[in-house]
Amino acid sequence: MALKVSEIINQELLKKLRFEYFADNGDLMTWGNCILRQTVMRGQWMKGAFFAGAGTAPQYRHHGNLFRMVSDIENKALSEGAYVMLMHPFSFECYRPIGVECVSNTVICTFPTSKLNFTARYTDLVPIGEAQLSDLLQVYHQFAIERN
């Protein structure tokens, strides 16, 4: 088996790598992308690795190829300074045996704001004091944990 890693994008904040595994006869067996990018998690800038676009040709499934690729991508991501590795999108139970778990089910939708109903502006906001700050930070922290 031969591994080919191609650098598709190399910019300051973004780097995309393509991993392809070929059989001895030249067939493309398994493929996937690793996107390395600077991202913010819990208010801190960090380098993350995003694993996406994975696939294995049907005749090469159940031979450990995906596990090998995830391991190679993880090693490459660590060597590039990534602190966290995420798979996007995560929707298949078959990734559990290789150690990948679902961490978020957040859905982002894009639509024209003209489709929103009008809501009157709320102007009765009250500034918080030092006494309420710890309670609000606790709520924010719990919200962040459930989203990141």
Side-chain angles (χ1 to χ4, degrees), residues 20-39:
E20 297 174 316
Y21 295 79
F22 295 90
D24 292 336
N25 65 4
D27 285 353
L28 178 59
M29 298 187 313
T30 301
W31 57 91
N33 299 307
C34 175
I35 298 123
L36 298 160
R37 66 176 301 156
Q38 293 292 332
T39 188

Side-chain angles (χ1 to χ4, degrees), residues 54-68:
T56 299
Q59 66 272 29
Y60 294 105
R61 292 182 183 155
H62 307 292
H63 291 92
N65 295 324
L66 183 63
F67 181 82
R68 185 177 299 111

Side-chain angles (χ1 to χ4, degrees), residues 35-55:
I35 298 123
L36 298 160
R37 66 176 301 156
Q38 293 292 332
T39 188
V40 175
M41 293 196 81
R42 299 184 67 189
Q44 299 292 319
W45 280 96
M46 64 187 326
K47 185 177 276 188
F50 300 86
F51 172 55

